[in-house]
């Protein structure tokens, strides 16, 4: 019950530490007959790879994925897909000092309390490198969703005080800007803000937004496995996420019913909503509209300023963190949010296939 | 995989519709030897009972709980506890019209799309009455937590634009004010706001805050079952919740690392944090500080104004909703948030008992 | 994790004790649109009802089922179905003595060791009445399977030394003989054997066989959720079952490969096997042939002879059990085996719907 | 829901095919602080390694395990342990012919029916090499059990008609005889029998017995997660197992209650049973006595005689299987049974830690 498995139908079980031999994931429940090669996964991993810009850790990792099982002659076989990414640039010496104290904003103290000790090299399992398994697994989920006409797209919405202007939304910019913002002008501003933070040995947080388009209506279960509940659990399980919103989110709590309700209308193509305050989900079930969610991410806790803390010996002391750290986590976390959303949606799409007697009957009569 | 079971160690399986014969819950995994009687549970159910104030539906329900199994001579036996609450005040005639159209902001359309039809009486399973099972089960979880020195306390933080002032926090007020606010002055203001909404046939939303005190450090798992992730999934599974925050939440995304990091310090009683921006959770694991979360709740979708929508026949039309509806969901949802938090924390407390070899050895050597 | 829920897609959560107010089950994951009424379930419950013959306990229970949720206008809605059966004939006084000692062959001692105490009235949760929830839930599973052309049929194969002769197999006899044997001649012999046992204050065991016909090929997962593994776990979870066989079972271990292998052949209707030593399962996956399993059931542990045992005070003593007890469990357990098999097969049929990419694509393109 | 994960608290997720790059397992829920090195696991893997005797496939595999995560400075960290065993001796050419037809007694046909195609190299995921992950994970479970004083010991009880004599039981012989029999005389007889089978291009089955000593009373849950039910599901999930027994097993069904009941008695060391027909389990819960189970294993389906079967083209044909195959699976499956039993027992030991309120209170008061 240590919770390293995500999902019920399409599951990922992730493993690996920042400075171990490798990290990886076992994907179970992937349907047979999907074309799959390393490149499908590598594309996603490259989006979270360190060292790409001056706002990410200078640690250089190839992060090259290997498919070890579950694929035969270019097709998934229906059996577990084991994906492995070797660690190649561990410099454990950088971290040896961390062994002796608790970094503020990190999991050093809580791991020690829970387990009695910890793998202090680069945060061990609490490192952002843990997300490699999520992204590798999520890449497969996203590929399946694309075959079903569903697209998941995440991007940076804000860094510190700098927000994008949706009127300037340019999808290609997401993978071209250093900030993963789809607005090149806001991105340049955000870069200035980050430079100022770095100059003061400080760090920044921000907001990631994610849209899911092409969703069929009916996805999500009625009570505990609501689509929004499962998305919330998935996205909040990413380290550093401190808040989660669906649709209008926090703004909805301030609105009146007459403002927040989305009127339905019908045309020849079916039933639609005039607005989308709901973020594509009603009663926990997709309504066919675009699903919109946001993750609020705290500033990188590793800052180079001197900080007050406590040693493992429980003596008060000050520390100055060294090593390689991103001044902002947001741009590299964009693909992680996208992948967790894809995994969640696919898992619930699979659940939904048994929701109706006529669907089951049709399946077994084929 | 229809998702009516919550939890992994201490589980609840809820059932029942707004206008069926009864609603209930099966609690599995409750440890043996806990003193338990109906009154323990009724106290919690009374906090969500309709008809208590002018801001809740005039539907009158006794909502009296019966314990059908799992308790012998006043103690839990370790076997499943079945709790049942009969429905006594169904007036299905009120709802028959709903059968023919989709109420904006409700799950009518999505249920029809998912299941092919729906129990249209009072929203069926998508009704707020679904939460009876959560509260009945959560009351038991909360009782166990109290025996371990852990207290979960939720209250209304805001209704529409009216927020409480923490300087006026008075715990007793939570169950005494019509708004479940712990600040009587803010509560009076909120009542004025609600009266104004009702006069305009409109509704309001708001914010529920929940604190968990007495938490041991070490609760929560490292990746997908992080304490904050599980709390997010639990709270977002409550109908009408549109956003979830831990600690500083959305504000953390705007802060700098030097502001958001909580410095550690030690004194004779152990290790503490000087501030609690983190909301009591670091790396997904409790740090021993108070856990703080917030749920943002949309305004009641049932408003009496005329609204545009679509019929089951997919014809555009207008509707005017009748029946018995709360102008604000927030006050009655307070105990639901509290119960979902209690269930989550207890479930992870149980998981944590197997985290260390020395803990297991000690248990079996007793 | 107390294990009162069975299944992953179509789940049952059972509750209730021998002498509590009621017993019941929550069925979650039942597809919407199935016609369902109390009678569908009652028919199955009547097959396990006590008091029907001289070989079952004289306790008289109506065992009348109530559907409390999940059905609207005669159809399942896709939401949880709560089924309740009141206990009406508890005579707890009969059992008060049991509180003070451990009955041989029963769970009195192990419950005390596990939970610290026990509900001693009629065995509490360890009573055979626990199976009411299994049968009520299994009746729904069996109904769905029938709509898919799959029939599960269990019967008594042997009681003590008396076995049926398959040449005399008569399906109607299963529900007409007191032994649930499909062979009236063997049934008469078995009745003589049971009378002899009863005369000596002794009890008998026996074998239940179950066939599943109309199975599509492809059901079952490749490793831990093999069809035979899941059937074994399901059937062995019924109290008093001490062994489980698939196909030739124990005889297979003595055979040679050339004898045990089933040759394939093809005709215009598809691929078949010339023999069925395998019992319809190859590599854990159904092969389209009849699935055959057997459950070996121990003799009723409640016998009226004087027995040596230990008191709760850990003093050695003798006991003479009173109360109402079946001299053989087998006939009433037949429907329980049938129901557990139906639940297992339906659960894996649902899992199998996501096994192939083309199946998923076809489902969402409809 | 593809079922490659076993367990609820201590879980293993296995992956890999006979002729893929590697096989492995992710162990999640292993408590922190256990000493662990490759050697602990290698010892178990060596017991199932091919090529050790003339009765196992001549395929030579080093089967050397690598620990990729979850261990730091020789201790488990509480995070997932990833274990990998490279495949080094794949000779896929041997198997290319299998692509075109269905081997009798194998999963070729059922995989094709389920997934639409299959990895035909050496059976792919249905190969006995799949058990590498089980054994690697089970070795860790067994190590933990040993620290708690619980020992799991499996051995060959019979091969074809040759059974061991318990009076000649010699534990060391299990790992020294080619048959894994603890009786050297029976082992020699069994070798003669196997030689005769091989001479006739035939194969043999047999029986594996497994004992679990040092079990505390109270392990196992009351209904679906009974210790015997979980052991049955675990052991029957091993390929080629066709029957499962606990205690007297099939013999219990023929006994009378007065014979099958085990009388309790008490002495200064506690409560015991005079006999152990029950196999150490009453009501699904361990009674403190030795747990005894048996697995009945079919003869190797790969025999070199000509056999009738069907091609993928659904044409009737005969085949003569080539390649490298064991004439009997039993000796190499002994350690697999032992490991599945260890995994099951440990998983339920962990569940049991939350069975009582006093246990939970004591844990959190420490």
């Amino acid at each position: 019950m240590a919770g390293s498995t995500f999902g019920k139908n399409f599951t990922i079980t992730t493993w690996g530490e920042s400075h171990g031999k490798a990290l990886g994931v076992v994907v179970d429940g992937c349907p047979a007959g999907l074309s799959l090669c390393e490149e499908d996964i590598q594309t996603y991993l490259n989006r979270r790879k360190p060292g790409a810009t001056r706002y990410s850790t200078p640690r250089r990792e190839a992060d090259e994925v290997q498919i070890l099982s579950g694929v035969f002659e270019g097709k998934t076989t229906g059996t577990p897909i084991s994906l492995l990414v070797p660690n190649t640039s561990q410099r454990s010496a950088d971290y040896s000092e961390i062994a002796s104290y608790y970094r503020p904003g990190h999991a050093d103290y809580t791991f020690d309390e829970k387990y009695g000790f910890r793998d202090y090299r680069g945060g061990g399992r609490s490192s952002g490198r843990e997300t490699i398994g999520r992204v590798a697994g999520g890449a497969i989920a996203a590929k399946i969703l694309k075959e079903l006409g569903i697209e998941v797209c995440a991007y940076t919405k804000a860094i510190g005080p700098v927000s994008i202007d949706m009127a300037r939304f340019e999808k290609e910019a997401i993978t071209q800007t250093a900030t993963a913002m789809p607005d090149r002008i806001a991105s340049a501003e955000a870069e200035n803000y980050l430079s100022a933070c770095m100059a003061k040995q400080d760090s920044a947080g921000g907001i990631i937004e994610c849209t899911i388009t092409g969703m069929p209506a009916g996805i999500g279960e009625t009570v505990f496995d609501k689509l929004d509940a499962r998305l919330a659990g998935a996205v909040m399980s990413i380290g550093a996420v401190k808040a989660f919103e669906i649709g209008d989110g926090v703004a909805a709590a301030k609105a009146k019913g007459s403002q927040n309700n989305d009127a339905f209308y019908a045309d020849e193509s079916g039933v639609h909503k005039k607005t989308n305050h709901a973020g594509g989900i009603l009663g926990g079930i997709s309504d066919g509209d675009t699903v919109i969610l946001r993750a609020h991410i705290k500033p990188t806790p590793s800052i180079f300023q001197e900080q007050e803390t406590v040693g493992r010996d429980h003596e008060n002391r000050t520390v100055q963190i060294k090593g390689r750290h991103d001044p902002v986590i947001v741009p590299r976390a964009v693909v992680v949010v996208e992948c967790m959303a894809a995994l969640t949606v696919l898992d619930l799409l699979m659940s939904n296939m048994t929701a109706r007697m006529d669907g089951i009957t049709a399946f077994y009569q084929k």
Side-chain angles (χ1 to χ4, degrees), chain A residues 166-344:
Chain A
M166 291 303 277
R168 291 192 299 246
F169 190 96
E170 193 189 337
K171 196 181 165 187
E172 299 68 36
I174 299 170
T175 50
Q176 292 168 356
T177 58
T179 57
M181 280 177 161
D183 167 354
R184 293 178 202 274
I185 293 170
S187 183
E189 281 176 56
E191 291 205 46
N192 289 339
Y193 176 75
L194 288 173
S195 296
C197 286
M198 289 168 84
K200 292 180 189 159
Q201 299 186 307
D202 215 332
S203 64
I207 305 170
I208 293 170
E209 190 162 77
C210 180
T211 61
I212 309 167
T213 49
M215 280 290 283
I219 307 307
E221 303 300 327
T222 55
V223 182
F224 300 117
D225 280 351
K226 286 185 166 84
L227 176 55
D228 35 4
R230 288 284 301 273
L231 285 169
V235 169
M236 290 287 300
S237 80
I238 304 169
V241 177
K242 300 302 287 183
F244 175 86
E245 298 180 278
I246 280 285
D248 282 6
V250 298
K254 293 189 173 61
K256 295 190 178 173
S258 60
Q259 299 163 324
N260 188 65
N261 281 354
D262 299 306
F264 286 108
Y265 72 96
D267 60 19
E268 49 293 332
S269 73
V271 174
H272 312 282
K273 307 196 330 275
K274 291 194 175 177
T275 50
N276 190 15
H277 300 295
I281 303 175
L282 285 169
I285 299 171
S286 64
D287 63 16
D289 211 336
T290 299
V291 173
I292 303 168
L293 64 87
R294 279 178 299 286
H296 295 255
I297 297 189
K298 74 175 185 181
T300 316
S302 288
I303 54 174
F304 298 106
Q305 295 178 26
E306 191 176 80
Q307 296 182 87
E308 292 176 281
T309 192
V310 166
R312 280 206 80 193
D313 54 8
H314 287 200
E315 292 295 315
N316 290 302
R317 53 171 292 183
T318 60
V319 298
Q320 206 156 0
I321 289 168
K322 291 165 195 153
R324 304 167 291 184
H325 306 289
D326 300 13
V328 65
I329 294 161
V330 175
R332 289 178 60 202
V334 162
V335 70
V336 185
V337 169
E338 196 171 301
C339 284
M340 291 308 297
L343 288 162
T344 305

Side-chain angles (χ1 to χ4, degrees), chain A residues 7 107 364:
Chain A
Y364 280 106

